């Protein structure tokens, strides 16, 4: 049933509302769409593509608009959530399918959840990695983030002003990515009394708080070269535009205030990931917000980049979940 993973992945450019969306696919069978987060690319799913293919699935990892080889619209508001969902739908249809299971990590988790919420006719099941589902609601996001950190500035607020974070990152993309990936990995937590790397001191930069030293075990020099090479070519504005649309999303999705995602779902978080801690209330609310939840797993000793830090375990959890889905969900 499945394509042998040794045949390797296939790169495709597909028409989408973004213009073109770059997709890397491997295998045959029910379609599983993989959506990456910040600051990554399709390459963050490099371990899952062959694993899902070997398990009998057609795995397709896309570059979100603004990243990698996908189109990069100039307007900041082109990166609102509804646009990203539309791209995901277009990819499913361009691949000749009517429906898919959607899996997302970090910002991709939010894209996956909203894709399932907005287009249940296309996305029959959803898996969320690292960032749990939290329904739209509450105050305007910018108001919430501005209240965090005291004298320090939360990284989401820091990312809001066009050009500001770019000025920090783009002169040394590779070095910045190395620090950011390391800071959010298991084995590199802030030392006791050390300020966390998610906040910016007055007049400072995020990089000021990144750890120094070797790369985390999951990230080779060649892997880092791949990620850095993409952002050196594209710049960071397309990726950062996702943060700059959170208030627009809050307005656009008002009709979904408090809405649950009802399809069969899965959540996987890292035990050492700040997202799991910050959003503990969202995880506790899953019986209400994810009534179709099949499993919620916290990987002990794992950081934020779980499908790369724990590739085999993540792939096994995903394939076990996929195998157990009703046929109508595949």
């Amino acid at each position: 049933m499945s394509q042998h993973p040794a045949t390797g992945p296939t790169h495709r450019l597909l028409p989408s509302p973004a213009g073109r969306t770059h997709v890397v696919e491997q295998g045959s069978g029910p379609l599983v769409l993989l959506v990456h987060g910040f600051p990554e690319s399709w390459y963050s799913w490099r371990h899952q593509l062959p694993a899902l293919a070997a398990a009998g699935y057609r795995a397709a990892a896309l570059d979100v608009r603004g990243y990698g080889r996908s189109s990069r619209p100039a307007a900041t508001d082109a990166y609102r959530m509804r646009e990203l969902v539309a791209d995901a739908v277009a990819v499913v249809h361009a691949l000749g399918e009517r429906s898919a299971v959607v899996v997302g990590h970090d910002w991709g988790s939010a894209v996956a959840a909203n894709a399932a919420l907005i287009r249940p006719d296309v996305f029959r099941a959803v898996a969320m990695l690292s960032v749990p589902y939290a329904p739209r609601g509450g105050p305007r996001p910018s108001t919430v983030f501005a209240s965090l950190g005291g004298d320090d500035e939360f990284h989401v607020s820091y990312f809001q002003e066009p050009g500001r974070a770019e000025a920090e990152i783009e002169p040394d993309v590779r070095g910045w990515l190395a620090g950011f990936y390391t800071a959010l990995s298991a084995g590199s937590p802030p030392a006791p009394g050390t300020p966390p790397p998610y906040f910016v001191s007055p007049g400072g930069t995020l990089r000021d708080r990144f750890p120094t030293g070797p790369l985390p075990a999951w990230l080779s020099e060649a892997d880092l070269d791949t990620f850095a090479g993409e952002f050196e070519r594209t710049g960071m504005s397309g990726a950062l535009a996702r943060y700059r649309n959170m208030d627009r999303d809050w307005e656009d999705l008002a009709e979904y205030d408090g809405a649950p995602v009802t399809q069969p779902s899965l959540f996987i978080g890292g035990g050492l990931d700040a997202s799991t801690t910050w959003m503990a209330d969202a995880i506790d609310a899953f019986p209400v917000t994810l009534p179709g939840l099949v499993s919620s797993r916290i990987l002990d000793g794992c950081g934020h980049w779980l499908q790369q830090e724990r590739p085999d375990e993540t792939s096994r959890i995903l394939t076990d979940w996929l195998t157990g889905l009703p046929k109508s969900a595949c």
Side-chain angles (χ1 to χ4, degrees), residues 12-324:
R12 303 179 66 177
L13 287 170
L14 303 174
S16 69
R20 295 195 298 175
T21 294
H22 173 232
V23 174
V24 181
E25 62 171 321
Q26 189 167 356
S28 60
L31 178 61
V32 181
L33 189 66
L34 304 169
V35 188
H36 67 81
F38 176 89
E40 301 177 277
S41 71
W42 76 267
Y43 188 73
S44 65
W45 300 105
R46 62 194 177 279
H47 304 294
Q48 283 67 50
L49 286 167
L52 293 176
Y57 296 94
R58 183 185 187 186
L62 57 78
D63 278 335
V64 174
R65 67 167 64 190
Y67 287 82
R69 302 184 201 177
S70 291
S71 295
R72 299 184 300 280
T76 299
D77 66 359
Y79 296 85
R80 62 214 308 161
M81 184 60 71
R82 282 189 179 273
E83 298 286 352
L84 303 190
V85 170
D87 288 344
V89 171
V91 165
V92 172
H93 292 160
L95 290 173
E97 303 288 351
R98 298 179 61 184
S99 65
V101 174
V102 61
V103 180
H105 170 256
D106 183 76
W107 264 122
S109 175
V111 175
N114 280 282
L117 183 68
I118 296 170
R119 293 300 305 269
D121 57 316
V122 175
F123 298 104
R124 302 303 187 185
V126 55
M128 292 151 283
L129 279 59
S130 295
V131 176
Y133 175 60
R136 186 266 186 210
R140 185 178 293 270
S142 60
T143 301
V144 175
F145 296 129
S147 69
L148 301 176
D151 292 336
D152 292 339
E153 185 177 15
F154 192 45
H155 72 282
V156 176
S157 298
Y158 177 71
F159 286 160
Q160 293 302 306
E161 181 184 343
R164 186 181 178 200
E166 289 91 327
E168 172 187 346
I169 302 168
E170 290 179 354
D172 178 20
V173 169
R174 192 179 191 278
W176 192 91
L177 289 176
F180 191 76
Y181 293 149
T182 303
L184 275 63
S185 296
S188 305
T194 302
Y198 322 105
F199 292 89
V200 179
S201 300
T205 65
L206 270 175
R207 190 171 183 168
D208 294 340
R209 298 184 177 184
F210 291 168
T212 58
L215 295 177
W218 63 267
L219 183 69
S220 71
E221 296 285 349
D223 293 333
L224 180 59
D225 286 342
T226 298
F227 285 121
E230 293 291 74
F231 289 112
E232 287 168 349
R233 180 173 55 80
T234 65
M236 297 299 299
S237 292
L240 289 163
R242 177 82 290 275
Y243 290 92
R244 296 165 185 167
N245 279 280
M246 297 179 75
D247 281 354
R248 290 188 183 94
D249 295 339
W250 183 80
E251 296 167 356
D252 288 348
L253 302 174
E255 67 185 279
Y256 296 102
D257 193 86
V261 171
T262 59
Q263 294 97 315
S265 57
L266 168 72
F267 174 70
I268 315 172
L272 298 179
D273 185 359
S275 298
T276 306
T277 305
W278 290 337
M279 302 188 72
D281 288 348
I283 295 173
D284 291 342
F286 280 170
V288 174
T289 61
L290 295 175
L293 184 70
V294 174
S295 178
S296 178
R297 301 284 297 273
I298 303 297
L299 307 187
D300 291 340
C302 187
H304 183 67
W305 319 103
L306 53 85
Q307 79 267 38
Q308 299 176 85
E309 292 186 50
R310 299 280 187 83
D312 294 342
E313 187 174 4
T314 299
S315 296
R316 184 171 61 254
I317 294 170
L318 284 172
T319 53
D320 287 349
W321 171 71
L322 288 165
T323 301

